[in-house]
Amino acid sequence: MKLEDFLAKTYGYNPQVKDDIKTYIEQWKSWYRGNVRNFHNYYIYNGNKKIKQQRFTMNMAKEISEDWSDILWSEKCKISMKNEASQKQFDELVNDLDLYVLINQSIEKSGALGTCATVTSVYDIIENQDGMTLDVSEAKTRTDIVDVDWVYPLTWNYKGITECAFGSVEYYAGQKYVVCSVHKLNDKGNYVIYNHLFKDSNGSLLEISNGQDGTMQEFDTQSNIKWFSVFKPLLTNNLFNNSPFGIPHYANAIDNLKIVDIDFDAIKHEVNTGRRRIFASAEMFNYDDGTQKLTFDPNDVGIYQLPKGANSSDMIQSESSDFRTSSLIETLNNQLNILGNKVGFGENHYHFDGVNLTTATAVVSSNSKLFRRKKKLEIGYKSAIYDLVNAICYASSKFGKYNIDTADMVIQFDDSIIEDKEAESVRASREVSQGLISKIEYRMRIFGETEEIAKKKIEEIEEETPSVDKLLDDEEDDTNNGKNKQKDKEDNKNDKKNKKNEEKE
């Protein structure tokens, strides 16, 4: 039994959903690895036989996926919670889960293969004997990245996947197992996670009895919050309508990837193919000293065998040509420019100098293709990151030691590649001084803080370093207080004097 068969029989999974796009996924995986079987392996005929060759590759599919991931999510990005207490606990959770690295990897994998997912779970939960209560005092949260191969959508709409099954491979004592978790909504609208464990015997799965691995077979999350998040670029799938799967950045630039590698391979082989080449008659390829021996290495493509019957004057000829490296590099750069433009980076993003591939690092215009594509992709990934953060915060709070409030969560992407952040800060400061925006708006825009945290920070700063106006007000208050005290003193003196006069009378 295969996992797809089990899911189809038990949960109504439709294998056709992935079968339609599986061929494309395998092709994308090959380009991501940098080795496409029917393209990077080819043959050159040397007049006698075909010699197998390995085409050099720039692995631009990997480069493109990495570049988009770095542009979209870096150490400068920030996730802010509503209040300081929640922020402090969330920062601790970020470190425990290495969350920012996980987000970066998810964006890269989804950009490379069209789709990937993150699945959140809790472990070290103890189920009490009554079967109704859980001991979560030692519980911990875990989040795993699931490749597109192991994602099985069950229910989806235009907003995304709402019910899904996920698989993974694990090994115990050398034995291969397949773990499957199925996330479905119950009648109350809450997500229930069904866990299954299979023993893998050469691709055939045998389900193991419940609880053998210590996993709860059925786990009610007690909430409508998804414990999974699907990452995919916000690009319309033009290969299959209504598909829950996305497409990679280079899905419509496969021909461009081929041309780039052909040009790169030509540069690498220029030294070999541009050197003096030998043309030899078939009679020259072996000689007889009692045993047949070869004159030349049969795998040397620099030796070309002429057909039999050539004249004696044509027994060996040679040809040489000048190197064309400069013109080939120029051709390659033209193709890199086209490729960069096709995948959304705009023009002149990639450049090959003959040794290394470099990328443009200058600040780009907010009107550029890169800026517009980045902002478009952020919309889709912001939703995925929100689902991921919401899941881990809920799981860690409901079934763990944390108490994190995700209401009014702020996800701030890094725009430093698009706009000079220092210049933006200066401009925002000028707007504050001109009364166009408040200090709270300034901190929310520049530091990515929530309104509540921004207010608190401003109050703390003003207490530590009061403004000139506040100091003048305080000084005026002190002066007035001094005058009032002096007046009170004089009034008291007058009262005593009046009292003495009354006593004399």
Side-chain angles (χ1 to χ4, degrees):
M1 178 179 64
K2 293 183 178 181
L3 185 57
E4 291 89 339
D5 299 330
F6 169 80
L7 292 173
K9 181 179 179 181
T10 311
Y11 295 101
Y13 170 70
N14 182 5
Q16 190 67 33
V17 173
K18 184 174 285 186
D19 289 345
D20 288 341
I21 201 170
K22 187 175 291 185
T23 302
Y24 289 94
I25 292 175
E26 291 301 318
Q27 181 188 46
W28 298 333
K29 284 166 62 178
S30 296
W31 280 105
Y32 186 50
R33 286 194 300 264
N35 188 354
V36 182
R37 181 184 302 174
N38 295 327
F39 176 73
H40 289 102
N41 298 303
Y42 66 103
Y43 293 87
I44 290 181
Y45 183 63
N46 70 352
N48 181 38
K49 65 176 183 177
K50 292 182 177 180
I51 309 301
K52 187 175 182 179
Q53 301 289 303
Q54 179 69 34
R55 178 170 279 121
F56 288 93
T57 177
M58 296 193 76
N59 205 353
M60 290 304 298
K62 169 69 172 173
E63 185 74 27
I64 291 166
S65 306
E66 279 188 350
D67 283 355
W68 268 124
S69 179
D70 293 343
I71 289 172
L72 289 165
W73 195 261
S74 67
E75 73 284 354
K76 296 180 181 179
C77 298
K78 188 176 181 181
I79 301 174
S80 302
M81 296 300 157
K82 181 177 182 179
N83 55 64
E84 194 170 358
S86 292
Q87 186 67 51
K88 185 176 180 180
Q89 294 181 71
F90 176 69
D91 290 341
E92 182 180 338
L93 199 57
V94 167
N95 293 330
D96 289 343
L97 299 176
D98 213 359
L99 183 62
Y100 281 20
V101 173
L102 187 142
I103 292 174
N104 184 275
Q105 291 176 343
S106 298
I107 292 176
E108 179 182 334
K109 284 195 171 186
S110 64
L113 303 178
T115 309
C116 83
T118 60
V119 179
T120 297
S121 58
V122 288
Y123 58 99
D124 288 348
I125 290 181
I126 301 173
E127 186 175 14
N128 292 332
Q129 293 181 351
D130 59 9
M132 301 295 291
T133 57
L134 300 173
D135 181 358
V136 297
S137 58
E138 299 296 327
K140 296 180 180 63
T141 305
R142 170 177 170 177
T143 301
D144 298 297
I145 299 177
V146 181
D147 290 340
V148 63
D149 295 331
W150 293 97
V151 177
Y152 304 94
L154 300 174
T155 307
W156 67 93
N157 53 35
Y158 70 97
K159 293 182 179 180
I161 299 173
T162 54
E163 296 181 317
C164 196
F166 305 94
S168 63
V169 174
E170 297 185 9
Y171 289 86
Y172 299 99
Q175 174 62 50
K176 182 180 180 180
Y177 295 88
V178 172
V179 181
C180 177
S181 64
V182 183
H183 297 239
K184 287 184 65 67
L185 291 164
N186 62 13
D187 294 337
K188 297 179 180 179
N190 295 337
Y191 276 97
V192 178
I193 302 174
Y194 302 92
N195 296 300
H196 301 274
L197 180 66
F198 302 89
K199 185 177 181 180
D200 190 330
S201 299
N202 298 322
S204 179
L205 303 183
L206 175 65
E207 187 173 11
I208 297 176
S209 59
N210 301 334
Q212 184 166 332
D213 64 335
T215 302
M216 296 174 62
Q217 185 195 17
E218 184 176 326
F219 179 71
D220 188 349
T221 66
Q222 304 175 31
S223 171
N224 62 354
I225 295 174
K226 292 192 297 185
W227 283 41
F228 66 89
S229 179
V230 179
F231 284 73
K232 55 185 180 181
L234 188 57
L235 303 171
T236 301
N237 188 336
N238 61 324
L239 302 175
F240 298 97
N241 292 327
N242 303 318
S243 173
F245 295 101
I247 59 174
H249 300 291
Y250 52 84
N252 291 284
I254 299 298
D255 288 342
N256 302 91
L257 292 175
K258 290 180 178 180
I259 296 173
V260 165
D261 279 358
I262 289 173
D263 289 347
F264 182 65
D265 184 66
I267 294 172
K268 291 296 185 179
H269 280 295
E270 179 65 12
V271 174
N272 289 329
T273 58
R275 66 182 179 179
R276 183 180 296 275
R277 199 161 182 216
I278 306 299
F279 295 86
S281 172
E283 289 83 354
M284 296 295 297
F285 269 76
N286 53 66
Y287 64 94
D288 190 0
D289 61 349
T291 61
Q292 290 287 330
K293 291 186 177 181
L294 296 176
T295 308
F296 306 107
D297 180 358
N299 293 318
D300 187 354
V301 295
I303 308 293
Y304 191 93
Q305 179 176 316
L306 294 172
K308 291 184 178 181
N311 297 327
S312 58
S313 60
D314 297 327
M315 294 293 276
I316 295 181
Q317 296 181 5
S318 65
E319 178 191 64
S320 63
S321 60
D322 296 331
F323 290 125
R324 302 165 297 157
T325 307
S326 298
S327 59
L328 288 173
I329 291 177
E330 182 180 354
T331 302
L332 175 59
N333 278 318
N334 289 334
Q335 296 302 326
L336 287 172
N337 191 26
I338 296 173
L339 176 63
N341 201 37
K342 286 270 298 211
V343 299
F345 292 128
E347 296 182 353
N348 303 317
H349 185 76
Y350 291 118
H351 180 77
F352 182 70
D353 60 7
V355 179
N356 299 308
L357 177 72
T358 59
T359 58
T361 57
V363 175
V364 300
S365 166
S366 61
N367 199 29
S368 67
K369 184 170 186 175
L370 174 58
F371 175 84
R372 295 193 300 272
R373 180 64 62 87
K374 179 180 185 294
K375 288 301 178 185
K376 174 183 174 181
L377 294 172
E378 283 177 2
I379 296 172
Y381 282 124
K382 187 174 184 178
S383 177
I385 294 169
Y386 177 86
D387 287 343
L388 168 59
V389 174
N390 212 26
I392 64 173
C393 289
Y394 173 78
S396 302
S397 299
K398 181 69 175 179
F399 303 98
K401 63 180 181 179
Y402 295 96
N403 183 21
I404 303 174
D405 183 5
T406 59
D408 300 323
M409 179 201 316
V410 175
I411 299 173
Q412 185 182 38
F413 290 90
D414 173 32
D415 283 343
S416 60
I417 189 173
I418 306 299
E419 187 174 34
D420 188 342
K421 298 302 287 185
E422 184 177 353
E424 183 184 0
S425 177
V426 171
R427 184 173 65 252
S429 297
R430 188 166 56 248
E431 291 173 353
V432 171
S433 64
Q434 293 173 348
L436 298 176
I437 64 173
S438 67
K439 292 180 179 179
I440 296 173
E441 290 177 281
Y442 173 87
R443 293 194 67 89
M444 291 174 67
R445 181 195 303 180
I446 301 302
F447 298 111
E449 297 172 344
T450 62
E451 184 176 354
E452 184 176 331
I453 292 178
K455 285 181 179 178
K456 188 172 182 180
K457 291 291 185 183
I458 291 171
E459 290 172 359
E460 291 175 354
I461 292 171
E462 288 181 347
E463 286 179 4
E464 295 176 1
T465 56
S467 64
V468 175
D469 291 340
K470 189 174 186 303
L471 289 174
L472 292 174
D473 289 341
D474 291 342
E475 185 177 346
E476 185 177 348
D477 290 340
D478 291 341
T479 302
N480 290 333
N481 289 334
K483 291 179 179 179
N484 291 334
K485 288 180 180 179
Q486 181 65 28
K487 187 176 182 300
D488 291 340
K489 188 175 180 180
E490 290 176 357
D491 290 342
N492 289 333
K493 187 177 180 180
N494 291 331
D495 288 342
K496 289 180 180 180
K497 185 177 181 181
N498 291 334
K499 190 174 182 180
K500 285 181 178 180
N501 292 333
E502 288 175 358
E503 288 176 351
K504 288 179 180 181
E505 292 176 359

